[in-house]
Amino acid sequence: MRAMGGDQVEEAVSGAVTALRGGTGRDWSVKAGRLEWSCRRTAEHLASDLISYAGQLAGRPADRYVPFKITFDECEGAEDVLQVVEATGALFAAAVRTTPREVRAFHPYPFRSADREGFAAMGVTEILVHAHDVAEGLGIPYEPPAALCADILTRIFPHVRPEPGPDHWRTLLWATGRGELPGRAPLTTWRWSNNLVIPADRLTLQGVTPAAAADLCAGGTGGFEWIEGGPFQGTRDAAGMVVKAYEAGVHRPEWGMFLLVRREDGRAVGGMGFHGAPDEQGRAEVGYDLAESARGNGYATEALRALSAWALAREDLTYLFATVDRTNAPSQGVISRVGFTRVGTVGDDGEQYAYELRG
């Protein structure tokens, strides 16, 4: 799986600055594309975002932004402006590279935190779309690599159905309210979506992005370190469900798949999640599995208890549903310990027990 990190930040900054240097002799006081800001003010906003994200990863606050900002008061011309963008981009790339994978810092939307990959994806998005805004205002060409746009879409725009073919740049522009796509209404407001993380005692349940799901389906690790024997085949099958939902435009990340990651060493031990968003009756089906070497430690019970509590606290869920093979006594024990009630059987020969959990 292609990573989202410091290399991608540097790639985005380099491409943007190279393109915008073609307009240093033009008037940067004009409006930047569809924005109300000038080209100079937009570049200042971009540099502020990059240094702010670097500050979040370095300071790691849990409940606010680090309180500082950057201004262009000392910048005399466009070349000075671009030099600040380059410098703040380099600082941000360094912060991404030196932040451990398990670290999360405050970001307000939508789940009040992001990891280094999430901040990298947000920073690259800011670079690409604001370079576009400035280039449009100056009347110069700019188009970033399609692979970079795909990296962003599959990580922090999991709710956006990708356009068929290679034109990820037009999809990203549409997703950020800057363009049109056939068959889709223009956007006047938009949001990105970092992955949800649900804390448990010895574990964290970390939401799987479409990018990570695709890698798991292809036999990869999803970008995680695994204990011996992981991931189990059931985790790869569940990742395939995420990919299919994403490609169909019906994926809702909070009702997708989570990997169970041990706090003590940052290693994934299994997968757990939903078969989809709640239906018309407010029912969502849950499933899980563990790598064989992780079984017998209570991880599944702990994770299912945390995931169930999170789900049942939401207004769009009435109850959880699960099925377990009649022959799978350990999984039946997990379900029962969490509080699920057996309500019948499913399958042609009743080979599975059906369970429900209501709030």
Side-chain angles (χ1 to χ4, degrees), residues 101-312:
R101 194 186 68 80
E102 294 301 309
V103 166
R104 296 186 75 86
F106 173 78
H107 187 276
Y109 188 83
F111 303 117
R112 300 188 64 78
S113 73
D115 59 12
R116 68 185 185 191
E117 183 175 275
F119 275 106
M122 290 187 290
V124 171
T125 302
E126 297 281 2
I127 295 163
L128 302 192
V129 300
H130 288 313
H132 163 79
D133 296 333
V134 174
E136 191 171 60
L138 298 176
I140 59 177
Y142 171 70
E143 182 166 340
L148 200 55
C149 301
D151 289 339
I152 296 168
L153 289 167
T154 55
R155 283 171 172 82
I156 58 171
F157 291 90
H159 51 292
V160 174
R161 175 174 56 84
E163 278 295 289
D167 202 0
H168 298 292
W169 175 226
R170 301 303 183 277
T171 303
L172 180 61
L173 288 176
W174 174 85
T176 55
R178 288 170 168 80
E180 298 180 358
L181 287 177
R184 303 196 200 184
L187 296 180
T188 56
T189 60
W190 60 274
R191 293 282 191 182
W192 49 46
S193 181
N194 284 292
N195 66 324
L196 171 63
V197 172
I198 300 173
D201 184 15
R202 297 168 296 165
L203 306 169
T204 57
L205 284 69
Q206 302 190 17
V208 174
T209 65
D215 187 61
L216 284 166
C217 287
T221 65
F224 290 78
E225 293 186 21
W226 285 83
I227 64 169
E228 182 182 356
F232 197 67
Q233 185 58 43
T235 296
R236 298 197 188 280
D237 294 341
M241 295 171 62
V242 171
V243 172
K244 288 180 181 178
Y246 174 65
E247 292 174 346
V250 297
H251 176 54
R252 289 176 59 185
E254 67 272 33
W255 294 106
M257 176 185 176
F258 300 81
L259 292 188
L260 315 183
V261 179
R262 287 194 306 214
R263 293 180 184 273
E264 66 180 36
D265 58 6
R267 292 185 178 274
V269 300
M272 181 174 292
F274 306 99
H275 291 199
D279 61 19
E280 294 80 1
Q281 287 75 44
R283 185 187 87 159
E285 184 172 355
V286 65
Y288 53 89
D289 68 20
L290 294 177
E292 290 187 10
S293 59
R295 296 172 187 174
N297 296 292
Y299 291 142
T301 301
E302 177 184 323
L304 184 58
R305 188 172 286 126
L307 185 64
S308 299
W310 174 86
L312 289 168

Side-chain angles (χ1 to χ4, degrees), residues 61-131:
D63 58 356
R64 65 170 184 165
Y65 282 114
V66 176
F68 69 100
K69 66 178 182 179
I70 192 169
T71 70
F72 279 4
D73 292 346
E74 302 298 319
C75 292
E76 295 183 358
E79 185 56 43
D80 290 348
V81 165
L82 293 176
Q83 188 174 40
V84 176
V85 171
E86 282 184 309
T88 53
L91 291 170
F92 178 45
V96 170
R97 288 194 176 103
T98 55
T99 299
R101 194 186 68 80
E102 294 301 309
V103 166
R104 296 186 75 86
F106 173 78
H107 187 276
Y109 188 83
F111 303 117
R112 300 188 64 78
S113 73
D115 59 12
R116 68 185 185 191
E117 183 175 275
F119 275 106
M122 290 187 290
V124 171
T125 302
E126 297 281 2
I127 295 163
L128 302 192
V129 300
H130 288 313

